[in-house]
Amino acid sequence: MTSDITVSTLLLHQQGTAIEAANLYTLAQSHDARLKAVRKVLDFACNELEINKHLKQDLSEDQLTIEICQFLSALGFQPRHDEQVGGHCDIVVRGKDMFLWLAEAKWHNSYGWLDKGFKQLSTRYSTGVSGQDQAEVVIYCKNKDAVAMMQNWRKELSSRNDDVKTFDGEGENPLEFWSEHSHVASGMTFKVRHKAVVLYHQPVDNVPA
C-alpha cells in the first residue's frame, strides 16, 4: 500500500528531531539552509556526548570527534575525520554546489589550545569562499561552570585576534557564541560558531554521610 504522506507532513512529524535536520539538509537548496541543518545535527550529536558524559571522561579528542562523525554518518551525512583540507581537519562535511563545512574540536586544556584550533580553521583549513565561509570550534569541557569558561574564551579570542568580532547567536545560548572576521585568503567574512560540550562529571551522591 502506497502512503500518500507529503514531505511537509513528514517533516512536521519529525519536528525537533535529528532526523528532521538531516532531511532538511538533504532537501536544502541553499548554503544557508545546509549550514542550519548541519549545525542542528551537530547539536544533537554533542548532546548525546553530554547525556553519556560519565562514559566519556577518559576519551581523547579524536575518540570524541569520531563519535560525532558516526552520529552524522548514521543520519546520511558523509563526514570525514582528519581529512586533508589544507591540513588534517577534525570534521569535514561536503555537500552540493561545492558546500564545505569544517569543525575543529578541542578539549579545553588552555585558552591557547582553543586559539590554536581557531587559527587552524581560519588560516590553514578553510578557503573562505562562498559556501565554504563558515565553521565551528567544538570545545569539550570538563570544567565546572562551562558558561564562565565560554565567557572567558570569548574575551581571550578577542584579545588574541585583533580583527575578530564576537556576537551572540540566535536564542542567546550562553554555551555558544559567534565570531567573524575578514578571511585572510578570500577577503570575505568568515563566521565561526564556538560551542561548548558540557562533560563535567563529579557526582557526590556516593559521598558518606
Side-chain angles (χ1 to χ4, degrees):
M1 180 177 178
T2 303
S3 174
D4 293 328
I5 192 169
T6 64
V7 171
S8 59
T9 301
L10 180 65
L11 291 173
L12 181 62
H13 286 298
Q14 297 171 343
Q15 194 168 24
T17 69
I19 296 174
E20 178 205 22
N23 284 333
L24 288 173
Y25 179 82
T26 300
L27 296 168
Q29 298 301 310
S30 70
H31 292 319
D32 186 58
R34 292 182 190 103
L35 285 165
K36 288 180 180 178
V38 74
R39 284 197 297 262
K40 179 55 67 176
V41 173
L42 177 73
D43 289 344
F44 279 102
C46 290
N47 187 240
E48 286 298 313
L49 295 179
E50 293 170 331
I51 290 170
N52 295 289
K53 59 185 178 292
H54 58 297
L55 303 174
K56 312 300 180 183
Q57 298 300 298
D58 297 323
L59 297 188
S60 67
E61 288 174 352
D62 280 345
Q63 289 170 321
L64 289 167
T65 304
I66 287 170
E67 289 198 18
I68 290 176
C69 287
Q70 289 173 333
F71 188 97
L72 269 64
S73 182
L75 289 170
F77 291 80
Q78 294 182 323
R80 295 291 181 267
H81 170 61
D82 213 20
E83 181 175 331
Q84 277 282 0
V85 181
H88 294 282
C89 187
D90 285 338
I91 306 176
V92 177
V93 174
R94 298 177 183 271
K96 294 182 289 187
D97 299 327
M98 295 181 288
F99 175 78
L100 181 68
W101 176 88
L102 309 174
E104 190 66 11
K106 298 289 188 188
W107 270 116
H108 172 48
N109 297 323
S110 69
Y111 294 110
W113 186 238
L114 299 184
D115 190 54
K116 179 177 181 178
F118 173 75
K119 285 182 167 64
Q120 286 172 323
L121 277 179
S122 58
T123 67
R124 180 183 295 273
Y125 304 143
S126 60
T127 67
V129 303
S130 180
Q132 304 177 5
D133 53 358
Q134 294 200 31
E136 191 105 8
V137 173
V138 178
I139 304 168
Y140 304 131
C141 178
K142 286 196 289 189
N143 302 56
K144 286 183 178 180
D145 197 347
V147 169
M149 183 276 292
M150 289 299 288
Q151 291 172 342
N152 289 334
W153 166 230
R154 187 168 177 173
K155 294 174 184 176
E156 287 282 340
L157 177 67
S158 296
S159 66
R160 292 168 184 263
N161 302 274
D162 293 338
D163 58 335
V164 170
K165 297 179 181 178
T166 66
F167 55 96
D168 295 330
E170 295 180 7
E172 298 183 357
N173 183 346
L175 293 172
E176 64 181 49
F177 68 88
W178 287 81
S179 67
E180 67 177 28
H181 66 281
S182 178
H183 194 276
V184 64
S186 70
M188 295 175 60
T189 299
F190 188 68
K191 294 178 65 175
V192 178
R193 184 174 72 151
H194 303 253
K195 175 181 175 61
V197 183
V198 181
L199 299 177
Y200 176 81
H201 182 68
Q202 293 292 336
V204 298
D205 53 303
N206 291 328
V207 176

